[in-house]
Amino acid sequence: MRPTRTLMASLFASGLLAAPFLATGTASAAPPETDLVLAVHQEETGVQSTRLTCDPAAGEHRAAQAACGEIAAAGGDFTRLPGTDPQLCTFDYQPVTAIAFGSWRGEPVRYVHEFPNRCVMEQETGTVFSF
């Protein structure tokens, strides 16, 4: 089994990735259109995760409004996130895996991408995985 699948399985088993599928409130309450679990895995620090909802921006993400705006600018396509202005990143290889799981405006999201280090991840994904 690839490490990414093992990571996804452990996140789902721990309940982190199950959160968008859990019913909340009364039976008549509709779930939010956008409900994402964002996670970052790095060997040295383990898994960090947060929940993000948009329209309106909320959840535990410290920059929820900016993250929702960046995802909207990419049309919900995490491979097209606008990122940040170019910055100087080192060539240190300390792989970090970014994961997004849930729904964006009613459409399912499953994004997993490995970056060579945290600096490159933040440069390419902006504030979305900076929590």
Side-chain angles (χ1 to χ4, degrees):
M1 187 180 300
R2 294 184 336 192
T4 302
R5 286 191 180 160
T6 303
L7 176 61
M8 292 289 287
S10 67
L11 287 171
F12 195 80
S14 71
L16 291 175
L17 294 183
F21 301 107
L22 298 176
T24 59
T26 63
S28 63
E33 283 188 2
T34 298
D35 192 359
L36 298 163
V37 172
L38 305 173
V40 175
H41 176 264
Q42 194 166 12
E43 190 70 33
E44 297 81 31
T45 58
V47 176
Q48 299 169 315
S49 66
T50 192
R51 189 168 179 180
L52 176 68
T53 59
C54 299
D55 305 319
E60 297 99 24
H61 196 292
R62 66 183 171 140
Q65 188 72 36
C68 288
E70 291 171 5
I71 297 168
D77 182 351
F78 281 71
T79 64
R80 297 180 60 216
L81 289 171
T84 62
D85 292 332
Q87 59 183 323
L88 183 60
C89 292
T90 65
F91 289 107
D92 293 337
Y93 184 70
Q94 298 174 335
V96 59
T97 303
I99 301 164
F101 192 86
S103 66
W104 169 257
R105 295 186 174 163
E107 296 298 317
V109 171
R110 182 179 180 272
Y111 170 81
V112 179
H113 188 80
E114 184 177 286
F115 297 91
N117 58 48
R118 186 171 286 271
C119 178
V120 173
M121 177 193 72
E122 290 176 355
Q123 184 171 325
E124 292 186 21
T125 64
T127 62
V128 175
F129 292 100
S130 297
F131 45 82

